[in-house]
């Protein structure tokens, strides 16, 4: 009987714990949508402290940190997302954005390539990789990526191709 009570208590505790992490995540999402980026980061952090494998919380906190130009923080969160879920194309694209801002163009190319291997229709990754190729002087691959991004619907790639592929 004592073991049954202990097991019941543990199950209830775990259930409350999981709901709390999800609750903070939901609050963070609402704050992010309302433009309260710092508040969202605080709630994503609380969710992560309750569930250290909460992939979506790391991903979204990375996006929020990127918005606030916390590039190292965003990079760490996107990297943790990838560590926990290596099939997360958006995390690779997010980290590629950080790498681009940090002028790590090879890192941008590598992350965009990984993202495109998982999601070949990601025009953001094609456009971003095109920009990185342009920065390292690879005009051929740059223009090829802008063309593919345009085919997939990117408006930014139209401007980039007009600017860099004359």
């Amino acid at each position: 009987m004592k073991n049954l009570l202990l097991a019941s208590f543990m199950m209830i505790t775990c259930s409350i714990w999981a709901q709390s992490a999800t609750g903070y995540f939901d609050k963070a999402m609402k704050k992010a949508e309302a433009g309260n980026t710092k508040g969202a980061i605080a709630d994503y952090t609380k969710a992560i402290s309750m569930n250290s494998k909460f992939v979506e919380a790391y991903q979204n906190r990375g996006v929020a940190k990127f918005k606030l130009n916390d590039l190292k923080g965003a990079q760490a969160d996107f990297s943790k997302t990838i560590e926990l879920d290596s099939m997360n194309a958006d995390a690779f694209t997010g980290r590629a954005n950080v790498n681009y801002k940090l002028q790590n163009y090879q890192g941008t190319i590598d992350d965009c390539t990984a993202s495109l291997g998982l999601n070949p229709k990601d025009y953001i990754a094609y456009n971003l990789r095109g920009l990185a190729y342009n920065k390292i002087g690879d005009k051929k691959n740059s223009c090829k990526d802008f063309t593919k991004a345009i085919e997939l619907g990117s408006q930014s790639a139209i401007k980039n191709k007009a600017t860099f592929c004359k």
Side-chain angles (χ1 to χ4, degrees):
M1 183 68 175
K2 197 175 192 181
N3 287 340
L4 182 60
L5 285 174
L6 183 60
S8 296
F9 176 75
M10 293 297 286
M11 287 173 54
I12 291 168
T13 303
C14 288
S15 173
I16 291 169
W17 173 71
Q19 289 173 352
S20 295
T22 303
Y24 278 115
F25 179 81
D26 292 343
K27 282 173 54 178
M29 292 283 288
K30 288 179 182 150
K31 287 179 182 178
E33 288 170 15
N36 181 359
T37 307
K38 287 182 181 179
I41 290 170
D43 284 342
Y44 289 132
T45 301
K46 288 176 186 172
I48 290 165
S49 73
M50 295 176 165
N51 179 357
S52 63
K53 296 186 187 306
F54 202 150
V55 174
E56 295 85 358
Y58 283 107
Q59 169 79 21
N60 290 9
R61 189 174 72 174
V63 170
K65 286 179 177 180
F66 185 79
K67 283 183 182 177
L68 294 180
N69 210 35
D70 175 4
L71 300 179
K72 293 294 184 184
Q75 187 175 47
D77 281 345
F78 290 130
S79 293
K80 184 66 175 181
T81 303
I82 292 164
E83 176 188 319
L84 294 171
D85 177 12
S86 62
M87 302 302 285
N88 188 323
D90 292 338
F92 282 104
T93 302
R95 192 170 70 180
N97 266 305
V98 172
N99 281 326
Y100 188 82
K101 275 196 146 190
L102 293 172
Q103 299 179 354
N104 175 3
Y105 303 120
Q106 190 57 55
T108 302
I109 292 165
D110 294 344
D111 280 342
C112 286
T113 301
S115 176
L116 291 166
L118 298 167
N119 179 10
K121 295 186 180 194
D122 185 354
Y123 63 79
I124 294 169
Y126 276 111
N127 188 51
L128 186 57
R129 190 172 70 175
L131 289 169
Y133 276 133
N134 181 66
K135 289 287 189 179
I136 65 169
D138 186 344
K139 187 173 181 175
K140 179 183 172 196
N141 279 319
S142 176
C143 296
K144 184 175 154 186
D145 277 354
F146 292 144
T147 300
K148 184 64 176 177
I150 292 166
E151 287 173 20
L152 294 170
S154 173
Q155 297 301 305
S156 299
I158 294 170
K159 295 174 191 166
N160 290 334
K161 186 174 180 182
T163 303
F164 302 116
C165 302
K166 297 177 183 176

